[in-house]
C-alpha cells in the first residue's frame, strides 16, 4: 500500500543504477538485482556476518542480504534509502530477505521483528527510520509482527566515528533502553538494521534485549561490510 502510494510520486527509475524500470520491475531493476553482490550464508551459522559477533554477543542467526562496499550500486542504494526520502527501498529489500528466509522454513522461528531505533532528533530530521521499513518488509514476508516501539535510543551517537573501537563500544553499551519488557521477555527477536560494519550498534542493542529477558536474538541487515 505504502509503496504503491509512493510510486505515484517517484519517477520509475532503478534506485541502484538510475536506469528506467521496465514494466513489472519495482524499485530495483532486474539486472541490478541479479548483479549486486549478495552476502549469502543464509544456511551457514558461521557466515561472515555471524562471525563479527563471535565472542561479543550470542546471536541465534545473523544475516545480511547484500555485501556492502563503499563504492557502487549497493552504497548508492543505501544512501538513497537514508537520505533521499526513499525508505521504500528498505521495505523492498526486507521483503526479498524475508522471502528467502521463508524458503528456508524459518517462518515460525521468530516472535517479533524489532528495528534498531534512531534517536528521536535524527528521526525528526529524517522523517522516517529506514530500518523500520526494512523490518516491515521482513515482517510482512514472514508474517511476524513488527514492533518499532519496544526499544528506544536514548543517546544520539552521530559523532562516534573518530573514537576508538573500545571507546565506541562503551559509548553504545548504554544507548538503548527497552521500553516494553513484556514485548521482549522470552521472545526470539529478529533485530534488523540497515548496514552492519563493525557491528557495535547491533551488539549493544542485542545485549540490551538480552538483559531485558529476551530468550534469543537474531540479526538481519540490508547489507553488511566484510
Ligand atoms: Zn538498476
Amino acid at each position: 500500500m505504502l509503496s504503491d502510494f509512493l510510486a505515484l510520486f517517484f519517477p520509475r527509475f532503478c534506485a541502484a543504477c538510475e536506469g528506467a524500470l521496465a514494466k513489472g520491475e519495482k524499485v530495483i531493476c532486474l539486472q541490478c538485482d541479479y548483479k549486486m553482490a549478495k552476502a549469502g550464508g543464509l544456511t551457514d551459522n558461521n557466515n561472515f556476518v555471524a562471525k563479527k559477533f563471535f565472542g561479543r554477543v550470542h546471536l541465534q542467526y545473523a544475516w545480511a542480504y547484500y555485501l556492502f562496499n563503499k563504492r557502487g550500486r549497493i552504497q548508492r542504494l543505501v544512501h538513497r534509502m537514508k537520505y533521499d526520502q526513499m525508505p521504500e527501498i528498505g521495505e523492498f529489500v526486507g521483503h526479498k530477505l524475508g522471502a528467502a528466509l521463508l524458503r528456508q522454513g524459518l517462518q515460525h522461528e521468530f516472535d517479533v521483528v524489532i528495528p534498531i531505533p534512531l534517536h528521536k532528533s535524527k528521526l525528526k530530521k529524517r522523517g522516517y527510520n529506514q530500518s523500520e521499513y526494512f523490518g516491515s518488509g521482513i515482517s510482512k514476508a514472514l508474517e511476524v509482527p513488527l514492533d518499532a516501539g519496544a526499544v528506544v535510543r536514548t543517546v544520539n551517537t552521530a559523532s562516534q566515528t573518530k573514537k576508538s573501537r573500545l571507546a565506541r563500544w562503551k559509548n553504545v553499551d548504554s544507548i538503548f533502553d527497552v521500553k516494553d519488557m513484556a514485548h521482549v521477555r522470552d521472545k526470539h527477536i529478529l533485530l534488523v538494521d540497515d548496514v552492519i560494519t563493525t557491528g557495535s550498534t547491533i551488539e549493544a542493542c542485542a545485549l540490551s534485549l538480552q538483559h531485558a529477558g529476551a530468550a534469543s536474538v537474531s540479526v538481519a541487515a540490508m547489507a553488511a561490510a566484510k
Side-chain angles (χ1 to χ4, degrees), residues 14-21 27-33 36 73:
C14 170
C17 73
E18 300 178 352
L21 288 174
V27 186
I28 298 169
C29 75
L30 286 177
Q31 198 182 14
C32 284
D33 188 40
M36 285 193 291
R73 284 183 272 211

Side-chain angles (χ1 to χ4, degrees), residues 195-211:
V195 180
I196 297 177
T197 51
T198 65
S200 301
T201 308
I202 288 282
E203 178 185 358
C205 196
L207 287 171
S208 294
L209 290 166
Q210 288 170 355
H211 292 159

Side-chain angles (χ1 to χ4, degrees), residues 12 15 31 61 69 71 75 83 89 91 99 107 111 130 134 157 161 180 182 196 211 224:
R12 293 196 25 89
Q31 198 182 14
Y61 303 103
N69 58 50
R71 289 166 185 271
Q75 196 272 348
Y83 306 114
I89 293 168
E91 177 143 15
Q107 67 269 37
D111 299 303
Q130 68 281 354
F134 175 65
T157 49
T161 43
D180 200 337
I196 297 177
H211 292 159

Side-chain angles (χ1 to χ4, degrees), residues 2-214:
L2 185 62
S3 46
D4 290 345
F5 176 75
L6 288 164
L8 295 172
F9 297 94
F10 285 98
R12 293 196 25 89
F13 293 103
C14 170
C17 73
E18 300 178 352
L21 288 174
K23 202 173 176 217
E25 289 178 340
K26 279 183 180 174
V27 186
I28 298 169
C29 75
L30 286 177
Q31 198 182 14
C32 284
D33 188 40
Y34 178 73
K35 282 193 173 172
M36 285 193 291
K38 312 297 185 295
L42 288 187
T43 57
D44 177 10
N45 285 351
N46 297 320
N47 68 44
F48 83 92
V49 185
K51 279 183 178 166
K52 285 177 186 281
F53 300 98
F54 286 179
R56 297 166 70 185
V57 59
H58 178 76
L59 300 175
Q60 193 76 29
Y61 303 103
W63 303 293
Y65 192 72
Y66 292 119
L67 179 61
F68 186 79
N69 58 50
K70 284 190 174 167
R71 289 166 185 271
R73 284 183 272 211
I74 293 165
Q75 196 272 348
R76 193 179 305 146
L77 198 66
V78 170
H79 191 276
R80 298 196 125 202
M81 174 178 72
K82 288 171 77 165
Y83 306 114
D84 283 351
Q85 297 293 313
M86 292 182 75
E88 71 274 18
I89 293 168
E91 177 143 15
F92 182 80
V93 179
H95 202 275
K96 292 174 85 68
L97 180 56
L101 297 177
L102 202 61
R103 289 193 293 272
Q104 304 292 335
L106 288 161
Q107 67 269 37
H108 302 303
E109 187 70 32
F110 307 105
D111 299 303
V112 62
V113 175
I114 294 182
I116 292 278
L118 292 180
H119 187 264
K120 63 176 189 287
S121 64
K122 197 179 266 185
L123 183 64
K124 196 174 175 189
K125 193 175 163 200
R126 189 171 297 164
Y128 59 89
N129 176 0
Q130 68 281 354
S131 297
E132 187 178 332
Y133 278 77
F134 175 65
S136 170
I138 295 183
S139 156
K140 285 174 187 165
L142 289 179
E143 297 183 346
V144 170
L146 176 82
D147 189 341
V151 184
V152 294
R153 196 170 191 135
T154 53
V155 180
N156 197 350
T157 49
S159 56
Q160 282 191 59
T161 43
K162 285 177 186 161
K163 291 175 187 158
S164 72
R165 180 165 159 174
L166 183 66
R168 203 159 55 220
W169 186 83
K170 282 182 176 161
N171 200 23
V172 292
D173 189 37
S174 54
I175 66 172
F176 296 104
D177 189 14
V178 177
K179 280 286 168 204
D180 200 337
M181 297 285 215
H183 283 207
V184 165
R185 192 174 296 129
D186 300 327
K187 301 282 170 66
H188 185 176
I189 292 159
L190 183 58
L191 185 60
V192 299
D193 202 1
D194 50 5
V195 180
I196 297 177
T197 51
T198 65
S200 301
T201 308
I202 288 282
E203 178 185 358
C205 196
L207 287 171
S208 294
L209 290 166
Q210 288 170 355
H211 292 159

